[in-house]
Amino acid sequence: MVEIELDGQKVAVPEGSMVMHAAEKVGTYVPHFCYHKKLSIAASCRMCLVEVEKAPKPLPACATPVTPGMVVRTRSEKAVKAQQGVMEFLLINHPLDCPICDQGGECQLQDLAVGYGGSKSRYAEEKRVVFHKNVGPLISMEEMSRCIHCTRCVRFGQEVAGVMELGMPNRGEHAEITTFVGRSVDSELSGNMIDLCPVGALTSKPFRYSARTWELARRKSVSPHDSTGANLIVQIKNNRVMRVVPHENEAVNECWLADRDRFSYEGLNADSRLTRPMIKRDGAWQQVEWAVALDYAAKGLQGVKQQGGALATLVSPHVTVEEAALSAQLMRALGSEHIDSALRQQDDALRAGAGRAFQLGRSIASLSHLDTVFVIGSNLRKEHPLFAQRIRQTARHGAAVLSLHAVADDWAMPVHQHATCAPDRWLSFMAEVASALVLGQGIAAPVPVAQVSDEALRLAQALRQGQEKAVLLGNTAMEHPQASQLYALAAWIAAQVGATVGVLGQAANAVGVQLVGATPGAGGRSARALLGEAPAQGVLMVGVDPLLDSANPQAAHAALAQADMVVALSSHRTDSLLDLADVLLPMAPFTETSGTFVNAEGLAQSFVGVVPPLGETRPGWKVLRVLANHLGLPGFDYESSESVRASVNLNAQSAEVAALQIPSTEPAGLVRLNELPIYAADMLVREAPSLQATRDGRQASGVQISRSLALQLQLTDGDLVRVSQGQGHAVLPVQCNANLADGVVRVAGGLTQTVSLGAGFAAITVEKA
């Protein structure tokens, strides 16, 4: 530790710290623009000039290392005069458009100009003009004349997002922040640049000119999308959500948000919002009163039960703990154990057991300090942007990142090894890695293999390195037909190398729905069976789009078309719900209800509604409680979501490991890889137009094939191909991906363009259209 004197106060900070860090430790504010605690030091704005004893001139606090006995004055006449001089330079070219600037009221330049700016300008020359740029649907760069060249946005792209999309060419008054050769900004974390900009140069395009910051009320909430459980500040005006920004929580999302957390609020007020109960009579939909709809639903479900038909509940892993708990309780009160929330899962053996859940196996914050991480079956960057951001930081400091997948995607980080093979080879490759780990140690491998490949040997060698290690299974691995065996083998490998084993988690409440029993009970059918070979006659769906959220849309459509009564609680009207449901009950999204999400590490985070329910929408837990009352079921007398939460145990224990029984698999020709695109993960992001207009949103429905298949079929990028599974087909544009394993065709799920196709990991045919 180094001790210095700062404004007459002694302070000790670690060696290598800057004066700014010492000031932060004692709570002394030093004005600054370019400095940010999460970014590297640029020292480009010079606003943080302070007086250092024996130094001939003021020095920047952010870039001046502490030395023993240093004496610093941040508020002396010399320091303040230097700061005022810098402010005058910053303001000479700044436009006087505060009255119409979106940043007005929360502008760092505005705030500091009050304390350090002059009452009038001495600069009489013409101000410089910087032309606007179009960088995509999320960020507005319409007023780049406001830019003060702090380069926070540039450094964020390089260091946090991992993609240098912005830069600063030219020198002096010709310098400007811009993209490379007119490209757009496409990072899945790009919206954080808006928060980082200390002036109004980068603003939110969807929010632009829609409200002033002082008109907005602010409420805390939790993201309903991925399993991070990012903490939000939801800003509202006239009972309408206008903007979403991060609420800093170092243990969860730090000070960042993924773009889908930030911009999905557009889906809250989409034209497709379901705001009144609807029932289908004689094939036609009609709006009715709540009492009529609930009575119709109750009689329909009771009729199925009386006739001896099976009843089932399908629960989205994006709904709250309270909604999932009441869904399961209601179905069990009707005498059925056909309950499931693992809608995209294809392996019925993958079950955590009562009171257990597949979770991360460590804290989210600890991902930033790993030495080695092995990720199986995940497009990490797009499925879990904030987890990827943490792993990116540790990779930049030398951690070994290892991957097994059917495609070697660009994760915007240094990846030590991408093991790429078709999904039907994942188990055998992991068995090779396990055998490589015990070579020469006299320990039996869990699964005998004839030969260990060099690739498996290299991966095993990398797994032996380092102290802090994790083996993590992604969404695609958990949807694999042999997911239970993948998990068991991953757990064995983790135990051998001293690593934790965990699941990244597909949805905001994937852990919570397991803990409250939204899983098949004794004799209960899985979602795969209910939406396949063993359908139910009466189905209650909570927050589910039956085709876009299921593993096999073809089979799901056939199963639900046979049902006598389908009751759906949903926030939106979707094509498949209008086609297959008999009753639609409007359920409030996360901003209009109170509830709890349990994130990947098992942390339960509760939130309250921030705006009143739209139209006649009601919180899902209330709808389920009243539906149970209409069905005459006892035990449904909850008065609040808090009383529902108090009735369940959310102390998660890790899932048990299945016995290893690796089956041999035969290559099945072309196999479909059907990952869920980043902006098709749930109902809310699908209805957010700005997210759908991004590059990720536009390109989601394309077909990716390997180079060898492209040569065989004589296809070039942009050609239309006909892809077929079973009786369904789709005509889509094709792209050759040199990083895709041979024999694999990448066609995304969760999209209306591909909803006619079958399951992932199944045979698929491709021909030129």
Side-chain angles (χ1 to χ4, degrees):
M1 300 291 282
V2 176
E3 187 178 86
I4 70 167
E5 181 184 309
L6 191 139
D7 292 339
Q9 189 175 354
K10 298 288 186 183
V11 54
V13 290
E15 190 174 347
S17 298
M18 302 297 160
V19 170
M20 183 71 83
H21 300 138
E24 285 178 340
K25 186 170 182 179
V26 295
T28 298
Y29 179 73
V30 179
H32 60 272
F33 293 111
C34 68
Y35 171 77
H36 190 277
K37 62 183 178 182
K38 295 287 184 181
L39 303 177
S40 63
I41 290 168
S44 58
C45 75
R46 318 307 283 184
M47 190 65 212
C48 64
L49 291 175
V50 294
E51 181 184 358
V52 178
E53 197 172 81
K54 297 180 182 176
K57 59 183 181 180
L59 300 175
C62 69
T64 302
V66 295
T67 57
M70 175 186 275
V71 178
V72 179
R73 300 181 184 91
T74 67
R75 301 189 185 109
S76 66
E77 183 181 351
K78 186 176 182 181
V80 172
K81 189 174 181 181
Q83 292 160 359
Q84 288 173 338
V86 170
M87 176 58 73
E88 185 174 19
F89 275 117
L90 288 174
L91 291 176
I92 60 172
N93 273 313
H94 200 79
L96 295 172
D97 59 356
C98 295
I100 59 101
C101 177
D102 264 353
Q103 196 85 350
E106 52 187 15
C107 174
Q108 221 172 320
L109 184 67
Q110 205 175 47
D111 294 342
L112 291 180
V114 173
Y116 300 91
S119 57
K120 61 180 181 180
S121 175
R122 295 185 287 171
Y123 186 77
E125 287 75 20
E126 197 172 300
K127 290 179 182 275
R128 82 176 194 145
V129 173
V130 181
F131 288 106
H132 60 81
K133 290 100 179 162
N134 182 10
V135 294
L138 304 181
I139 298 176
S140 171
M141 295 179 74
E142 292 293 315
E143 285 91 12
M144 290 307 292
S145 297
R146 299 171 184 163
C147 179
I148 60 169
H149 302 157
C150 70
T151 69
R152 279 184 178 183
C153 55
V154 177
R155 285 175 285 145
F156 171 83
Q158 287 178 291
E159 299 162 15
V160 180
V163 186
M164 187 176 175
E165 296 180 293
L166 294 175
M168 190 169 72
N170 305 323
R171 301 293 294 275
E173 70 169 12
H174 300 293
E176 59 180 287
I177 300 292
T178 187
T179 58
F180 292 95
V181 204
R183 292 182 187 170
S184 55
V185 174
D186 299 309
S187 165
E188 61 284 351
L189 299 173
S190 66
N192 293 292
M193 296 178 183
I194 299 166
D195 297 335
L196 288 171
C197 185
V199 294
L202 304 182
T203 54
S204 167
K205 193 171 278 189
F207 173 72
R208 183 174 162 82
Y209 293 151
S210 60
R212 304 313 307 256
T213 180
W214 52 85
E215 299 175 316
L216 301 172
R218 291 158 172 79
R219 304 284 186 270
K220 294 179 183 177
S221 193
V222 179
S223 169
H225 305 302
D226 64 31
S227 59
T228 309
N231 290 201
L232 315 175
I233 298 290
V234 181
Q235 301 184 350
I236 61 176
K237 176 185 176 183
N238 297 334
N239 292 330
R240 184 184 176 100
V241 176
M242 305 300 293
R243 183 167 61 165
V244 171
V245 296
H247 176 57
E248 187 169 346
N249 185 337
E250 199 64 27
V252 180
N253 56 301
E254 301 175 81
C255 56
W256 312 123
L257 282 186
D259 286 352
R260 68 177 164 200
D261 301 326
R262 183 185 299 271
F263 295 108
S264 66
Y265 72 88
E266 287 187 304
L268 295 169
N269 298 298
D271 293 339
S272 60
R273 269 299 298 272
L274 181 64
T275 58
R276 286 196 65 189
M278 300 174 72
I279 62 175
K280 188 190 288 182
R281 284 185 174 143
D282 300 323
W285 283 102
Q286 53 186 265
Q287 294 183 340
V288 295
E289 298 301 317
W290 267 104
V292 175
L294 289 167
D295 190 56
Y296 188 83
K299 285 179 178 175
L301 293 173
Q302 282 173 331
V304 170
K305 184 180 179 183
Q306 288 166 2
Q307 292 170 16
L311 293 174
T313 290
L314 297 173
V315 182
S316 168
H318 292 278
V319 303
T320 65
V321 159
E322 294 77 3
E323 290 159 354
L326 287 186
S327 303
Q329 184 182 335
L330 185 151
M331 192 50 55
R332 291 194 166 100
L334 286 171
S336 173
E337 291 290 343
H338 306 324
I339 305 159
D340 207 358
S341 53
L343 305 176
R344 299 180 63 82
Q345 189 172 300
Q346 296 193 49
D347 184 359
D348 290 350
L350 188 72
R351 294 296 171 191
R356 297 177 179 271
F358 292 102
Q359 51 186 342
L360 195 60
R362 55 170 54 243
S363 70
I364 290 172
S366 70
L367 296 177
S368 302
H369 308 292
L370 291 171
D371 299 317
T372 308
V373 56
F374 180 24
V375 182
I376 302 160
S378 174
N379 182 358
L380 185 66
R381 178 180 166 191
K382 300 301 181 182
E383 290 174 5
H384 301 90
L386 294 175
F387 290 172
Q389 184 275 131
R390 285 189 181 272
I391 293 172
R392 185 174 296 117
Q393 301 315 308
T394 194
R396 291 178 68 238
H397 292 98
V401 179
L402 313 167
S403 162
L404 168 62
H405 202 17
V407 59
D409 283 311
D410 178 13
W411 288 0
M413 68 177 80
V415 176
H416 183 78
Q417 184 177 345
H418 270 302
T420 307
C421 57
D424 54 17
R425 280 211 61 243
W426 290 1
L427 271 175
S428 58
F429 180 81
M430 296 217 4
E432 289 178 34
V433 173
S435 294
L437 285 171
V438 298
L439 278 178
Q441 296 186 21
I443 302 172
V447 182
V449 294
Q451 188 175 358
V452 177
S453 65
D454 290 343
E455 192 173 33
L457 284 168
R458 289 197 305 273
L459 201 145
Q461 180 62 35
L463 280 170
R464 292 193 184 99
Q465 310 302 315
Q467 299 297 316
E468 282 290 312
K469 309 175 198 178
V471 179
L472 301 172
L473 288 89
N475 297 355
T476 311
M478 297 302 280
E479 294 164 13
H480 195 282
Q482 298 159 333
S484 59
Q485 299 300 297
L486 281 173
Y487 183 83
L489 205 41
W492 192 92
I493 289 170
Q496 290 300 308
V497 298
T500 59
V501 65
V503 172
L504 291 167
Q506 185 188 53
N509 204 27
V511 173
V513 291
Q514 295 175 72
L515 293 177
V516 299
T519 54
R525 301 173 198 164
S526 65
R528 182 199 60 77
L530 290 166
L531 297 176
E533 76 277 0
Q537 287 69 52
V539 182
L540 174 66
M541 298 191 297
V542 183
V544 173
D545 182 302
L547 303 189
L548 298 182
D549 292 334
S550 60
N552 188 334
Q554 274 183 18
H557 188 280
L560 291 172
Q562 299 173 37
D564 298 322
M565 174 57 63
V566 177
V567 179
L569 277 70
S570 177
S571 58
H572 292 75
R573 302 182 308 274
T574 69
D575 291 342
S576 57
L577 286 176
L578 292 172
D579 179 28
L580 296 166
D582 297 292
V583 186
L584 292 179
L585 303 176
M587 182 176 78
F590 80 108
T591 51
E592 298 169 20
T593 184
S594 55
T596 305
F597 291 138
V598 183
N599 70 4
E601 73 170 61
L603 175 66
Q605 301 184 102
S606 292
F607 54 91
V608 296
V610 299
V611 291
L614 188 64
E616 295 184 27
T617 303
R618 296 291 180 266
W621 70 269
K622 285 187 178 180
V623 178
L624 290 160
R625 184 200 66 191
V626 179
L627 178 60
N629 297 154
H630 274 259
L631 286 161
L633 303 175
F636 287 84
D637 51 0
Y638 302 103
E639 293 297 324
S640 66
S641 62
E642 289 78 12
S643 63
V644 181
R645 177 182 169 170
S647 70
V648 297
N649 179 15
L650 296 181
N651 295 319
Q653 292 185 332
S654 292
E656 296 170 330
V657 179
L660 276 165
Q661 297 173 338
I662 308 291
S664 59
T665 55
E666 295 295 325
L670 293 180
V671 172
R672 179 183 175 192
L673 179 68
N674 73 327
E675 300 152 303
L676 209 54
I678 184 171
Y679 300 135
D682 59 72
M683 216 170 274
L684 209 53
V685 294
R686 292 180 199 131
E687 300 295 333
S690 294
L691 292 178
Q692 298 306 319
T694 61
R695 186 178 69 179
D696 280 327
R698 296 191 315 270
Q699 296 182 354
S701 61
V703 177
Q704 292 185 13
I705 58 175
S706 65
R707 184 173 289 165
S708 61
L709 184 59
L711 290 171
Q712 179 186 329
L713 299 177
Q714 298 182 326
L715 293 168
T716 57
D717 287 358
D719 287 350
L720 292 178
V721 294
R722 178 188 173 100
V723 289
S724 305
Q725 283 189 293
Q727 302 302 310
H729 69 272
V731 177
L732 302 167
V734 74
Q735 181 187 3
C736 175
N737 187 340
N739 297 320
L740 189 65
D742 286 339
V744 177
V745 179
R746 195 181 202 179
V747 186
L751 300 171
T752 55
Q753 297 95 324
T754 62
V755 79
S756 59
L757 301 176
F761 311 103
I764 190 170
T765 60
V766 181
E767 56 189 348
K768 197 166 187 175

